[in-house]
Amino acid sequence: MQIGVPQEIKNHEYRVGLTPASVRELCAHGHSVRVQSGAGAAIGLSDEDYRAAGATLVPDAASVFAQAEMIIKVKEPQAQELTMLRPGQILYTYLHLAPDAALTAALVKSGAVCIAYETITGPNRTLPLLAPMSEVAGRMAVQAGATHLEKSRGGMGVLLGGVPGVPAAHVVILGAGTVGANAVQMAVGMGARVTVLNRSMEKLRTLDALYGNRIHTLLASAHNIEQSVLDAELVIGSALVTGATAPKLVSRALVSRMKQGAVMVDVAIDQGGCFETSHPTTHADPTFVVDGVVHYCVANMPGNVARTSTFALNNATLPHALALAGKGWQQAMREDPHLRHGLNIAQGHVTHEAVAQQLGYAYVPAEQLLD
């Protein structure tokens, strides 16, 4: 198969769809890989590294899209990329369609086969292609929150871990999945006072077994969320419903009652955000203030640690890339129901139920397109 890797063009996005090591693996299986010149330069992956791995370097994104049967990216296609997609072409990337009606409509119109990293499943309902970026984002959320608690960044001027004689900041983490668990690890390590809330008591028991009395665990009831958020200096939102818009856990009214200069980091912003006051921001302009509360809602947080994120992501995405390239998308999905769950749009149809329900499309099960 002819595989294409364009340079990412989203604001401050420096990740790249394939590393040279992944290119080498695909070429070893008989596939041809075309990489846009400079695609990995920002994270120290040179054109020569890609050539040595077997890639063909092409000068621009238009050449990549024109020549490739499958496009491997990191972030959802931007406006100028959408016009280059064609019917039957495979797009393999993060999509996060539920909160983005315009992107969904453009992908439906393109006729492309659009496979979303974030809805590919694994055993026990895990999300193995979302997990590595969730790990990164969970750890970054605490760092970002700590930075923006500084007075010069608009925060209340609190050191996350405190000092002897001065209490540590209270970090409240909404959600105990991969993002939440990694945020807990970082917040505990930095000496914060940590409360984590989740609907699953099993996940709370797991965290309690790991951290004991170094954290507080609470069931994510409306009362517990309200009381915890009002006492917090830093709130991290990580609620996730696979493929659907994130639930709104913190209302505008509750934000208005929070401490002045508190910080909210909405890691769920790719899926619409779990704070009612959230809207997407960029690394160039990461925060805004509502009722005296600093909101950090960057939609591609892992892009700021692009080298770490690229290698972590490739560890997860490469096996499915090999399957798609080697068998074609239909046969690969017939054989692997986990990969089949990643099919969001194909041949003008919406094939992920949560996306269809959220945006008002007729739902066409992927199985109907595999026969």
Side-chain angles (χ1 to χ4, degrees), residues 1-5 18 20 22-35 50-51 53-56 67-70 72 90 318-329 332:
M1 182 177 283
Q2 304 284 339
I3 299 165
V5 181
L18 291 176
S22 295
V23 169
R24 180 178 177 180
E25 193 71 19
L26 285 159
C27 290
H29 282 77
H31 306 296
S32 175
V33 182
R34 283 162 171 74
V35 176
Y50 282 104
R51 283 195 189 92
T56 299
Q67 297 174 26
E69 298 168 85
M70 175 165 62
I72 299 181
I90 299 170
L318 180 60
H320 290 303
L322 286 165
L324 290 164
K327 301 173 183 177
W329 68 275

Side-chain angles (χ1 to χ4, degrees), residues 41-356:
I43 56 172
L45 303 176
S46 69
D47 287 355
E48 186 51 45
D49 292 332
Y50 282 104
R51 283 195 189 92
T56 299
L57 274 294
V58 296
D60 50 40
S63 301
V64 173
F65 278 82
Q67 297 174 26
E69 298 168 85
M70 175 165 62
I71 299 293
I72 299 181
K73 282 177 44 62
V74 177
K75 292 303 292 178
E76 71 280 357
Q78 304 301 291
Q80 57 265 53
E81 295 173 313
L82 287 167
T83 63
M84 295 187 281
L85 288 169
R86 63 179 184 270
Q89 190 173 41
I90 299 170
L91 174 65
Y92 181 48
T93 188
Y94 285 118
L95 289 174
H96 299 290
L97 294 177
D100 198 333
L103 174 61
T104 303
L107 292 176
V108 168
K109 183 179 179 181
S110 75
V113 176
C114 306
I115 302 163
Y117 295 160
E118 72 273 8
T119 63
I120 294 173
T121 57
N124 302 317
R125 297 191 298 178
T126 55
L127 300 170
L129 277 68
L130 187 61
M133 296 303 94
S134 296
E135 291 166 349
V136 171
R139 298 180 185 209
M140 289 186 72
V142 179
Q143 294 180 186
T147 298
H148 287 89
L149 277 171
E150 296 172 6
K151 197 66 180 174
S152 63
R153 301 296 185 100
M156 62 175 61
V158 170
L159 182 65
L160 202 68
V163 293
V166 181
H170 185 194
V171 178
V172 171
I173 300 167
L174 303 177
T178 304
V179 170
N182 279 270
V184 168
Q185 181 180 348
M186 287 293 287
V188 168
M190 294 175 74
R193 179 164 60 97
V194 180
T195 300
V196 57
L197 299 96
N198 200 78
R199 287 195 228 174
S200 167
M201 287 302 301
E202 192 58 40
K203 288 187 176 181
L204 294 179
R205 289 188 183 98
T206 298
L207 289 174
D208 182 76
L210 285 171
Y211 296 102
N213 60 9
R214 289 181 291 171
I215 67 171
H216 299 281
T217 58
L218 291 172
L219 184 70
S221 66
H223 173 80
N224 286 341
I225 290 173
E226 177 180 339
Q227 296 304 306
S228 299
V229 166
L230 291 176
D231 188 60
E233 280 75 44
L234 170 59
V235 180
I236 295 172
S238 66
L240 172 70
V241 178
T242 304
T245 300
K248 296 293 187 282
L249 301 180
V250 178
S251 68
R252 178 176 291 274
L254 182 54
V255 170
S256 71
R257 297 164 56 200
M258 290 175 63
K259 295 177 181 179
Q260 294 291 288
V263 176
M264 304 178 78
V265 179
D266 198 340
V267 186
I269 194 64
D270 273 331
Q271 292 293 126
C274 58
F275 309 143
E276 192 174 17
T277 45
S278 293
H279 63 73
T281 61
T282 67
H283 290 293
D285 188 16
T287 63
F288 59 92
V289 178
V290 177
D291 294 328
V293 177
V294 179
H295 290 57
Y296 181 98
C297 303
V298 175
N300 60 329
M301 288 177 65
N304 223 20
V305 288
R307 187 176 175 91
T308 296
S309 298
T310 293
F311 282 88
L313 181 60
N314 269 239
N315 290 339
T317 59
L318 180 60
H320 290 303
L322 286 165
L324 290 164
K327 301 173 183 177
W329 68 275
Q330 290 173 306
Q331 185 60 31
M333 289 182 180
R334 288 189 197 102
E335 296 180 8
D336 186 350
H338 294 304
L339 177 57
R340 190 159 67 239
H341 291 153
L343 189 66
N344 279 216
I345 293 173
Q347 300 171 341
H349 303 288
V350 177
T351 56
H352 193 285
E353 189 170 12
V355 174

